[in-house]
Amino acid sequence: MKRIIDTLYETADLNDEDIRQLLEADFSVDEYLFQRADYRRQEIYGRDVYLRGLIEFTNFCKNDCYYCGIRRGNRTLERYRLTKEEILDCCNLGYGLGYRTFVLQGGEDSYYTDRYLCEIIGAVHEKYPDCAITLSIGERAKDSYQAFFNAGAVRYLLRHETADKTHYESLHPKEMSPDNRKKCLFELKEIGYQVGTGIMVGSPFQTTENIIEDIRFMQKLNPEMIGIGPYLTHPDTPFSCYESGSLKLTLRLIAIFRLMFPHSLIPATTALGTIHPEGREMGLKAGANVVMPNLSPTKYRRLYTLYENKICTGEEAGRCRGCLERRVNNAGYKLVTSIGNYI
Ligand code: SAM
């Protein structure tokens, strides 16, 4: 296995058979794999960990993804939306705490028309010109993406979820199209966004072959950001009977992605912190270099429940940031407040 990890370290690539062996190897290989991934990260980004302020501005969603707690079909969930003023309040709070990236994330909610979103993005951009605006609002038309870019958004997160058509169709209802999701990603790239994509590790029916296909898709897209976290069960979804994904496989994939995409920005996700109390620290040690604490108003946080037992739903933003800074330091890294662009 050392040969495979060394090849990955030296060439940033592996053939399918070597990826398969690495993904399926026993966990004794991880110490060496994580050490190589951490070394590569430090060559490019040092010990810096970038801070992104997450603003979950709507939990309305027109989609009905079988795994997601804010899916349209979850009638038990109380829904909320933030106004432009409330979003600006979150940014104001975040700016004071040192945040220089705001991530506006939400369900696919047509209440936020292109015009209203441009107004929101424009207002944030005007007030905080030294900050990056990241969007994570799902699939829209290329013209809309262009309008958001013109208004001041520069990064976009859109996980492809799975590159395999059959697997995609087993996770989503038939009105959702894997081809359209991929098309959106390439359009975002064409426009000039820094683009993030990714997968849920251990989503129902996922196979090793699916993950190999994900890697090949990502090599074609060449994303600047890679969002991966374990799939976590939500009781009010059709997938409530499926087990959550594995912490260990998620960490292994973070390390593999760090070695394959050395310059990428990889968050130690909230899902990782939810599956294990020190999951985010472990993610950093495996090659992640971004953390995304929550800036949403505390009263709404428990309503943005993609999965069960989500952490950080009760803490106010200042405490969240302080807690994460301690965690990052304890893991041996340094939380930095710069804009944190792709190098
Ligand atoms: N609507 C936007 C979109 O489609 O990209 C952003 C919001 S969506 C809820 C953000 C991400 O949450 C999804 O890409 C998915 O990977 C993740 N997610 C949803 N349900 C999850 C679950 N049960 N476990 C882990 N991650 C989940």
Side-chain angles (χ1 to χ4, degrees), residues 122-230:
V124 176
H125 185 53
E126 191 181 303
K127 202 152 178 223
Y128 306 101
D130 53 336
C131 294
I133 302 172
T134 305
L135 299 178
S136 177
I137 52 173
E139 297 168 44
R140 295 236 176 182
K142 188 175 182 190
D143 285 353
S144 309
Y145 289 150
Q146 183 69 60
F148 305 151
F149 189 77
N150 296 347
V154 288
R155 301 181 189 146
Y156 205 104
L157 305 176
L158 184 74
R159 290 182 178 178
H160 65 283
E161 312 296 2
T162 172
D164 180 82
K165 190 169 188 296
T166 309
H167 186 216
Y168 189 94
E169 287 168 357
S170 67
L171 301 179
H172 302 94
K174 59 176 178 306
E175 67 266 18
M176 293 181 69
S177 147
D179 294 340
N180 191 58
R181 204 156 177 96
K182 288 180 184 164
K183 179 168 144 280
C184 287
L185 282 162
F186 287 103
E187 287 174 347
L188 289 160
K189 270 271 189 184
E190 272 166 35
I191 292 169
Y193 281 94
Q194 294 175 44
V195 171
T197 196
I199 60 170
M200 291 176 291
V201 179
S203 59
F205 321 114
Q206 185 181 59
T207 62
T208 302
E209 295 313 306
N210 293 154
I211 298 176
I212 296 172
E213 213 177 315
D214 289 325
I215 290 172
R216 297 301 176 220
F217 169 73
M218 286 159 76
Q219 286 176 326
K220 273 193 217 127
L221 179 71
N222 199 20
E224 284 80 15
M225 299 166 285
I226 299 174
I228 51 165

Side-chain angles (χ1 to χ4, degrees), residues 105-140:
Q105 190 183 85
E108 292 201 13
D109 182 359
S110 56
Y111 171 87
Y112 294 90
T113 57
D114 287 359
R115 181 192 283 241
Y116 190 30
L117 276 168
C118 285
E119 203 182 307
I120 293 170
I121 295 162
V124 176
H125 185 53
E126 191 181 303
K127 202 152 178 223
Y128 306 101
D130 53 336
C131 294
I133 302 172
T134 305
L135 299 178
S136 177
I137 52 173
E139 297 168 44
R140 295 236 176 182

Side-chain angles (χ1 to χ4, degrees), residues 281-309:
E281 291 89 321
M282 293 177 193
L284 295 174
K285 289 179 186 168
N289 61 343
V290 169
V291 287
M292 291 172 65
N294 209 313
L295 277 179
S296 318
T298 316
K299 65 178 174 187
Y300 296 127
R301 295 232 196 121
R302 68 181 174 80
L303 301 176
Y304 200 82
T305 36
L306 309 181
Y307 42 77
E308 208 174 19
N309 301 321

